[in-house]
Amino acid sequence: MLAEAGQAGAAVARFLSTNAAAIDALADRLRAAPPAAIVTCARGSSDHAATYGKYVLETALGIPVASAAPSIASVFAAPVAQGAERLVIAMSQSGRSPDLIATVAAHQRAGALVVALVNDAASPLAQMADTLLPLEAGAERSVAATKSCLVAMAGLAALAAAWARDAALAAAVRALPDHLSDAFALDWSAAEAPLVAASSLFVLGRGYGFGIAQEAALKLKETAALHAEAFSAAEVRHGPMTIVRAGFPVLAFATSDAAGDAVRAVAREFAARGAIVRLADAGGGGDLPARATHPAIEPLLMLQSFYRLTNAVALARGLDPDRPPHLSKVTRTL
């Protein structure tokens, strides 16, 4: 896991080089015939990339983005209504989960344009795509996905930048490979001891950072056997914050924008209650170092730093992060 996470910068560079022409052509097509809605289809880490993509695409384009529930097609066999043009973005490391394939097929029959970001370019999902954007992450043998998740996020940011003709975001995406390598070297050991000793914790983000909060919580569950729950810094105020008291661990990701202000505010509030708060803050002043760049790119850099941390936490808790019990690399949900 540690070695594969460290390859993310090179993997993003390959993805951008391989897919530059395809992304530009897709962006031209989508500007000429904008979809009324965007539907994402993914599970696990790929679904957290989709959450990130929702914020990037909606803020850049103003087009609603919703997550498909795969059981609608695979369990209930419900048809998808014909109607306004839809874009379906399917994401998967393996491209072989039956419920994702069934969901994409149902939307395709209803006339949707399908874009697939898949690491296995020979997979059934990849073969179904109208536009295939291979992740180019290389072999990922650890059960816990790392570099493929980061590449999928980078791919969504690259598509949003090209589609919206956002020069600032495009420049930040181009710089991402080098910045990921720098982020992987940052020292987040200040969070290690509280997490090693924890039995439960909250992981907070907002806006562009909410998807990485989800991904961090999943990684702590699957690699370190920690009960971690991800919340938006706004949603945590609606009931869950009652749990936070003295000694309760909180890991928070704050971007340098207004969404990050909300994370910083709730982190201060929890710290005042005596919670053990560790804050990665691209706005400066956090316990964990984080680079300021485009706010939509900062979460990817924080996630890269986090992957090194969670590997260390798992090992310190006596677990093997590469082979979590009861899990397999390809999850074939129906």
Side-chain angles (χ1 to χ4, degrees):
M1 175 182 170
L2 184 66
E4 288 170 358
Q7 297 163 8
V12 169
R14 284 195 303 273
F15 173 89
L16 295 175
S17 176
T18 299
N19 292 291
I23 289 172
D24 286 344
L26 177 60
D28 289 344
R29 178 176 181 175
L30 294 169
R31 277 195 303 271
I38 301 170
V39 176
T40 60
C41 184
R43 284 205 184 276
S45 293
S46 295
D47 199 34
H48 304 151
T51 300
Y52 166 78
K54 172 182 174 66
Y55 286 93
V56 173
L57 291 164
E58 286 196 359
T59 57
L61 300 158
I63 299 173
V65 181
S67 175
S71 63
I72 298 298
S74 65
V75 174
F76 297 101
V80 175
Q82 300 280 341
E85 183 68 23
R86 282 182 297 269
L87 170 66
V88 170
I89 302 178
M91 285 170 285
S92 174
Q93 193 278 329
S94 70
R96 297 179 184 279
S97 188
D99 55 353
L100 297 188
I101 293 168
T103 300
V104 170
H107 281 275
Q108 205 162 39
R109 287 193 295 271
L113 175 69
V114 174
V115 175
L117 290 92
V118 187
N119 202 33
D120 183 351
S123 65
L125 182 58
Q127 300 304 307
M128 297 172 69
D130 297 299
T131 296
L132 171 63
L133 301 176
L135 293 179
E136 297 289 342
E140 196 171 51
R141 290 182 291 275
S142 173
V143 169
T146 53
K147 58 181 176 175
S148 61
C149 180
L150 281 166
V151 175
M153 291 179 174
L156 292 167
L159 175 58
W163 188 351
R165 290 177 168 155
D166 184 330
L169 179 56
V173 171
R174 288 194 298 271
L176 182 56
D178 288 340
H179 290 172
L180 282 169
S181 298
D182 294 341
F184 197 61
L186 293 178
D187 181 8
W188 277 32
S189 60
E192 186 174 337
L195 295 183
V196 170
S199 59
S200 183
L201 74 147
F202 284 175
V203 186
L204 306 180
R206 196 173 187 192
Y208 300 125
F210 180 46
I212 68 161
Q214 293 178 316
E215 170 64 3
L218 173 63
K219 286 295 177 287
L220 289 169
K221 292 184 185 84
E222 67 182 348
T223 67
L226 263 172
H227 176 226
E229 285 195 78
F231 289 102
S232 157
E235 190 66 29
V236 77
R237 295 182 178 277
H238 291 266
M241 69 185 308
T242 305
I243 296 173
V244 180
R245 58 196 69 191
F248 188 86
V250 176
L251 179 62
F253 301 102
T255 46
S256 61
D257 57 2
D261 291 341
V263 177
R264 284 181 280 274
V266 77
R268 288 192 297 269
E269 181 176 345
F270 287 164
R273 294 188 199 178
I276 304 172
V277 178
R278 294 295 182 266
L279 173 66
D281 186 0
D287 311 274
L288 309 174
R291 183 186 186 116
T293 175
H294 192 291
I297 297 302
E298 290 162 357
L300 278 70
L301 304 180
M302 295 181 203
L303 182 57
Q304 178 70 321
S305 300
F306 168 80
Y307 281 148
R308 178 183 285 278
L309 169 65
T310 194
N311 186 84
V313 170
L315 292 172
R317 287 169 65 89
L319 300 168
D320 182 352
D322 292 339
R323 285 173 285 276
H326 317 302
L327 296 176
S328 60
K329 185 61 181 171
V330 179
T331 304
R332 299 181 184 271
T333 46
L334 301 174

Coordinates of all heavy atoms in Angstrom, one line a residue, residues 187-198 201 220 226 249-252 276-280 287-289 306 309-310 312-313:
D187 N 5.3 15.4 6.9 CA 5.3 14.7 8.1 C 3.9 14.8 8.8 O 3.6 15.9 9.3 CB 6.4 15.2 9.0 CG 6.4 14.5 10.4 OD1 5.7 13.5 10.6 OD2 7.2 14.9 11.2
W188 N 3.1 13.8 8.8 CA 1.8 13.8 9.5 C 1.9 13.0 10.8 O 0.8 12.5 11.3 CB 0.7 13.3 8.6 CG 0.2 14.4 7.6 CD1 0.9 15.4 7.1 CD2 -1.1 14.5 7.1 NE1 0.1 16.2 6.3 CE2 -1.2 15.6 6.3 CE3 -2.3 13.7 7.3 CZ2 -2.3 16.0 5.6 CZ3 -3.4 14.1 6.6 CH2 -3.5 15.2 5.8
S189 N 3.0 12.7 11.3 CA 3.2 11.9 12.5 C 2.5 12.4 13.7 O 2.2 11.7 14.7 CB 4.6 11.6 12.8 OG 5.3 12.8 13.1
A190 N 2.1 13.7 13.7 CA 1.4 14.3 14.9 C 0.0 13.6 15.1 O -0.5 13.7 16.2 CB 1.3 15.8 14.7
A191 N -0.5 13.0 14.0 CA -1.8 12.4 14.1 C -1.7 10.9 14.4 O -2.7 10.3 14.7 CB -2.6 12.5 12.8
E192 N -0.5 10.3 14.4 CA -0.3 8.9 14.5 C -0.7 8.4 15.9 O -1.6 7.5 16.0 CB 1.1 8.5 14.2 CG 1.3 7.0 14.2 CD 2.7 6.5 13.7 OE1 3.3 7.3 13.0 OE2 3.1 5.4 14.1
A193 N -0.2 8.9 17.0 CA -0.5 8.4 18.3 C -2.0 8.5 18.7 O -2.5 7.5 19.2 CB 0.4 9.2 19.4
P194 N -2.7 9.6 18.4 CA -4.1 9.6 18.7 C -4.9 8.6 18.0 O -5.8 8.0 18.5 CB -4.5 11.1 18.3 CG -3.3 11.9 18.4 CD -2.2 10.9 18.0
L195 N -4.5 8.3 16.7 CA -5.3 7.3 15.9 C -4.9 5.9 16.4 O -5.8 5.1 16.4 CB -5.0 7.5 14.4 CG -5.4 8.9 13.8 CD1 -5.2 8.9 12.3 CD2 -6.9 9.1 14.1
V196 N -3.7 5.7 16.7 CA -3.3 4.3 17.1 C -4.1 4.0 18.4 O -4.5 2.8 18.6 CB -1.8 4.2 17.4 CG1 -1.4 2.9 18.1 CG2 -1.0 4.4 16.0
A197 N -4.3 4.9 19.3 CA -5.0 4.7 20.5 C -6.5 4.7 20.4 O -7.2 4.4 21.4 CB -4.5 5.7 21.6
A198 N -7.0 5.2 19.3 CA -8.5 5.4 19.2 C -9.2 4.1 19.0 O -8.7 3.1 18.6 CB -8.7 6.3 18.0
L201 N -13.6 7.6 15.8 CA -13.3 9.0 15.5 C -14.2 9.5 14.4 O -14.8 8.8 13.7 CB -11.8 9.1 15.1 CG -11.4 8.7 13.7 CD1 -10.3 9.6 13.2 CD2 -10.9 7.2 13.8
L220 N -9.2 4.1 7.2 CA -9.0 3.8 8.6 C -9.8 2.5 9.0 O -9.3 1.7 9.8 CB -9.4 5.0 9.5 CG -8.4 6.2 9.4 CD1 -9.0 7.4 10.0 CD2 -7.1 5.8 9.9
L226 N -10.3 0.7 12.5 CA -10.8 1.8 13.3 C -12.2 2.2 12.9 O -12.4 2.4 11.6 CB -9.9 3.0 13.1 CG -8.8 3.2 14.2 CD1 -7.8 4.4 13.8 CD2 -9.4 3.6 15.5
P249 N -11.2 11.6 19.3 CA -10.4 12.0 18.2 C -11.1 12.6 17.0 O -12.2 12.0 16.7 CB -9.6 10.7 17.9 CG -10.0 9.7 18.9 CD -11.3 10.2 19.5
V250 N -10.6 13.6 16.4 CA -11.2 14.2 15.2 C -10.0 14.5 14.3 O -9.1 15.2 14.6 CB -11.9 15.5 15.5 CG1 -12.4 16.2 14.3 CG2 -13.1 15.2 16.5
L251 N -10.2 14.0 13.0 CA -9.2 14.3 12.0 C -10.0 15.2 11.0 O -11.1 14.9 10.5 CB -8.8 13.1 11.3 CG -7.8 13.2 10.1 CD1 -6.5 13.8 10.6 CD2 -7.5 11.8 9.5
A252 N -9.4 16.4 10.7 CA -10.1 17.4 9.8 C -9.3 17.8 8.7 O -8.1 18.0 8.8 CB -10.6 18.5 10.7
I276 N -9.5 15.6 20.8 CA -8.1 15.5 20.3 C -8.2 15.8 18.8 O -8.6 14.9 18.0 CB -7.5 14.1 20.6 CG1 -7.5 13.8 22.1 CG2 -6.1 14.1 20.0 CD1 -7.1 12.4 22.4
V277 N -8.0 17.0 18.4 CA -8.2 17.4 17.0 C -6.9 17.5 16.3 O -5.9 18.1 16.8 CB -8.9 18.8 16.9 CG1 -9.1 19.2 15.5 CG2 -10.3 18.7 17.6
R278 N -6.8 16.9 15.1 CA -5.7 17.0 14.2 C -6.2 17.6 12.9 O -7.0 17.0 12.2 CB -5.0 15.7 14.0 CG -4.3 15.1 15.2 CD -3.2 16.0 15.7 NE -2.5 15.4 16.9 CZ -2.8 15.8 18.1 NH1 -3.8 16.6 18.4 NH2 -2.1 15.2 19.2
L279 N -5.7 18.8 12.6 CA -6.2 19.5 11.4 C -5.2 19.7 10.4 O -4.1 20.2 10.6 CB -6.7 20.9 11.9 CG -7.1 21.9 10.8 CD1 -8.3 21.5 10.1 CD2 -7.3 23.3 11.5
A280 N -5.5 19.2 9.1 CA -4.7 19.5 7.9 C -5.3 20.8 7.3 O -6.5 20.8 6.9 CB -4.7 18.4 7.0
D287 N -2.3 21.4 12.5 CA -1.4 20.5 13.1 C -0.6 19.7 12.1 O 0.5 19.3 12.4 CB -2.1 19.6 14.1 CG -3.1 20.3 15.0 OD1 -2.6 20.7 16.1 OD2 -4.3 20.3 14.6
L288 N -1.2 19.5 10.9 CA -0.7 18.7 9.9 C -0.4 19.5 8.7 O -1.2 20.3 8.2 CB -1.6 17.6 9.5 CG -2.2 16.7 10.7 CD1 -3.3 15.8 10.2 CD2 -1.1 16.0 11.4
P289 N 0.8 19.5 8.1 CA 1.2 20.4 7.0 C 0.4 20.1 5.7 O 0.1 18.9 5.4 CB 2.7 20.1 6.8 CG 2.9 18.8 7.4 CD 2.0 18.6 8.5
F306 N -2.3 11.7 3.8 CA -3.0 10.8 4.7 C -2.7 9.3 4.4 O -2.6 8.5 5.3 CB -4.5 11.0 4.5 CG -5.3 10.0 5.2 CD1 -5.5 10.0 6.6 CD2 -5.8 8.9 4.5 CE1 -6.3 9.0 7.2 CE2 -6.5 7.9 5.1 CZ -6.8 7.9 6.5
L309 N 0.1 8.2 6.4 CA -0.3 8.2 7.8 C -1.1 6.9 8.1 O -0.8 6.2 9.1 CB -1.1 9.4 8.1 CG -1.8 9.3 9.5 CD1 -0.8 9.3 10.6 CD2 -2.8 10.5 9.6
T310 N -2.1 6.6 7.3 CA -2.9 5.4 7.6 C -2.1 4.1 7.5 O -2.4 3.2 8.3 CB -4.2 5.3 6.8 OG1 -5.1 4.4 7.3 CG2 -3.9 4.9 5.3
A312 N 1.0 3.8 8.4 CA 1.8 3.8 9.7 C 0.9 3.4 10.8 O 1.2 2.7 11.7 CB 2.4 5.1 9.9
V313 N -0.4 3.9 10.8 CA -1.3 3.6 11.9 C -1.7 2.2 11.9 O -1.7 1.5 13.0 CB -2.6 4.5 11.8 CG1 -3.7 4.0 12.8 CG2 -2.2 6.0 12.1

